[in-house]
Amino acid sequence: MDKVKPDRPGKVEPQRDAKPTDTTKPTRRPWAPGLRSLLVAAGLGATSSGILNVANDLVAVLALNAGPQQIGLLNAVESLAFLVFSVPAGWWLDRVDRRRALLWTQALATLALLSVPIAWLMGLLTFPHLVIASFFVGTAGMVWALGLGALLPSVAGRDRAGAAFARKAAVETSASLVAPGLTGLLLMVLAAPIALFFSAFLEALAGLVLWRGGVGAARKGADGEGLAPGQAPDAAGPSNAATPPSGEAAEQPLGFAAGVAEGFRFVVGSRPILLSTINSAVLNASLAMSAAVSIVYVVRQLGFSPALVGLQGVVIGFSGLMGSILAAKLLDRFNGLKVAAVGITVAAAGSVLFPLASLHPGLGWSLPFVLGYSLLWNASIVSANSGLFGIVAALTPEGLMGRVQSFRMLVALGPLPIFGLVGGFLGERIGAVPTLWLVVGLAFVSVSMTWSLWLLSRRRPWGVIVAQKSAD
């Protein structure tokens, strides 16, 4: 049996009998009690967001006579926080009790949502009021998503974080499928602003479930298993990240600049985390470019009716749900990196079907190709994302989880508007089909990156750590 030896100073000597590529089914263990509460809270938050996504635009249009430009501004403000505040939020979440922070975050979202129907009932609602409320709700939603991700490894166990992430995705996908129908029922009997009362109630309930449901508070400044405090796996030599001194000084939290710098150095100094982050950004770029041209492509070039577009949406939703359920089972049994590599490969292969749907006229050819693409891509990409999250959870010390998650969010989600504009520009200049082939190319770039990461894990000590946590 070959031994895995560290090739640089500062590395952790793996156990002699460690098998990085072992995919043996691990011993099943019960989940931590707090995970169920975290999943319920995630589902409630996702249902609230689903109601808000429909009702908020209707408030602007029906109650305030907003036009397309104002709707665009409203949607941009809702997502601005991901670009501007994700890094400060990650630093903050690493300094405080994350449960308490998320409770106050949901309280802020609840108050912002309640302000809209109350102002409308009083005849005082204006478009600037709606924009400001949307900004606070969007900021709270960003912190909520970031905080749940940072809490997940400490609640589920770092060895099972990937599988728990897939379960969270299943719950949130289920909520996203239910929310539009629930919103439609509410709007049948209530004015759009009043529907936001229900969204506010769900936000408050999500925070209370997380607080009262046995979800343990994350340890501040806790060291990760298998890594020295602040050590970045696979860094060139000793970690670039700040190593807390022993004694009382270790309890002193870093200021904003030093804390953010520590998180940045850890991400950049960790080859597997940096590569997985760039990989997620490539996948999201392909999605943003595809989204910019897909509706025009299926309606104008393939001749889909609104009913067929709706059918594709149903397939996307349910394939995402089935994929997240399958991913949770796979990640309970197999190495997360291999699951991610296989998932991205299947998704990329499925992406080829989308532009191929234009080769022959008629729905008899194009409809099966489009539905096949929607099924394969959305079912497989959940496994890939869950497996990549498992790498981060296995290698990141708990006290850095907020900042690492925030940098990943900034890199993976920050450029989305830019790539959406690029996709729209290319769709106008070279056409939808060539643009979709570029999307396919990006998907296969992600395939090569994921398999390279998996192969690299077989030759590096951090690969042993990931394999051990997958099989524990």
Side-chain angles (χ1 to χ4, degrees):
M1 181 180 301
D2 295 335
K3 298 179 182 178
V4 182
K5 296 182 178 180
D7 54 356
R8 297 187 180 100
K11 293 295 180 181
V12 178
E13 181 69 32
Q15 299 175 4
R16 294 184 59 183
D17 59 347
K19 297 179 180 179
T21 59
D22 183 18
T23 58
T24 305
K25 179 179 176 180
T27 302
R28 299 303 299 274
R29 307 193 315 272
W31 288 95
L35 180 63
R36 179 175 297 180
S37 297
L38 188 148
L39 296 180
V40 171
L44 291 170
T47 305
S48 173
S49 296
I51 295 174
L52 178 67
N53 289 339
V54 177
N56 206 40
D57 287 353
L58 287 176
V59 171
V61 173
L62 299 178
L64 299 173
N65 296 316
Q69 187 173 358
Q70 289 173 302
I71 295 296
L73 173 63
L74 191 65
N75 292 332
V77 165
E78 290 175 5
S79 59
L80 182 65
F82 285 92
L83 184 61
V84 177
F85 295 119
S86 60
V87 171
W91 167 78
W92 178 60
L93 287 168
D94 280 342
R95 291 170 58 93
V96 298
D97 179 340
R98 291 174 186 146
R99 281 189 317 159
R100 189 182 299 275
L102 293 183
L103 178 64
W104 286 108
T105 294
Q106 293 306 85
L108 173 65
T110 301
L111 292 175
L113 285 169
L114 286 175
S115 73
V116 175
I118 291 174
W120 179 75
L121 289 171
M122 298 175 65
L124 301 175
L125 182 62
T126 63
F127 184 73
H129 180 153
L130 187 62
V131 168
I132 293 171
S134 298
F135 171 76
F136 280 113
V137 173
T139 302
M142 179 273 296
V143 176
W144 176 255
L146 188 58
L148 287 184
L151 266 177
L152 198 60
S154 63
V155 174
R158 292 171 61 196
D159 57 318
R160 308 182 77 185
F165 182 88
R167 281 170 167 77
K168 185 170 82 74
V171 169
E172 291 174 336
T173 303
S174 300
S176 69
L177 294 174
V178 170
L182 177 60
T183 308
L185 291 175
L186 291 173
L187 294 175
M188 288 176 65
V189 296
L190 298 171
I194 302 300
L196 295 183
F197 270 123
F198 289 89
S199 181
F201 170 75
L202 292 173
E203 293 284 357
L205 188 58
L208 289 174
V209 167
L210 191 70
W211 175 253
R212 301 290 297 175
V215 179
R219 293 171 296 159
K220 293 177 286 184
D223 299 336
E225 296 177 22
L227 296 173
Q231 179 184 357
D234 211 38
S239 169
N240 293 328
T243 302
S246 59
E248 295 182 0
E251 299 297 326
Q252 294 296 325
L254 295 174
F256 176 72
V260 168
E262 181 186 37
F264 176 76
R265 287 196 297 267
F266 185 87
V267 172
V268 173
S270 165
R271 191 177 304 176
I273 294 178
L274 180 62
L275 190 57
S276 69
T277 300
I278 296 173
N279 197 357
S280 296
V282 171
L283 279 175
N284 286 333
S286 68
L287 283 171
M289 291 177 62
S290 177
V293 299
S294 60
I295 189 65
V296 174
Y297 169 65
V298 299
V299 172
R300 294 183 181 173
Q301 197 154 342
L302 301 183
F304 276 32
S305 65
L308 289 180
V309 174
L311 175 62
Q312 184 191 8
V314 170
V315 171
I316 289 172
F318 279 98
S319 60
L321 175 59
M322 294 300 103
S324 57
I325 294 173
L326 177 62
K329 294 184 179 297
L330 290 174
L331 289 164
D332 261 344
R333 292 164 171 78
F334 302 112
N335 184 304
L337 267 174
K338 184 175 285 188
V339 171
V342 172
I344 289 180
T345 302
V346 173
S351 71
V352 175
L353 297 176
F354 201 28
L356 286 180
S358 65
L359 289 182
H360 295 284
L363 294 176
W365 172 273
S366 62
L367 182 60
F369 273 67
V370 171
L371 295 183
Y373 152 72
S374 301
L375 176 65
L376 290 175
W377 177 273
N378 291 280
S380 302
I381 210 67
V382 177
S383 300
N385 287 331
S386 301
L388 292 175
F389 179 83
I391 302 172
V392 178
L395 298 178
T396 304
E398 192 174 319
L400 281 170
M401 195 66 190
R403 281 165 285 173
V404 170
Q405 283 284 90
S406 68
F407 279 114
R408 283 174 53 81
M409 181 181 290
L410 179 66
V411 173
L413 299 180
L416 285 185
I418 297 174
F419 282 104
L421 292 174
V422 170
F425 175 80
L426 291 175
E428 290 283 346
R429 296 292 180 177
I430 65 176
V433 174
T435 301
L436 290 174
W437 281 116
L438 290 176
V439 169
V440 171
L442 285 175
F444 277 98
V445 169
S446 180
V447 170
S448 65
M449 293 175 67
T450 311
W451 281 106
S452 298
L453 186 58
W454 180 70
L455 293 173
L456 186 65
S457 74
R458 295 161 59 91
R459 306 193 304 269
R460 293 292 187 269
W462 59 264
V464 177
I465 296 170
V466 172
Q468 287 173 338
K469 290 187 180 300
S470 298
D472 279 347

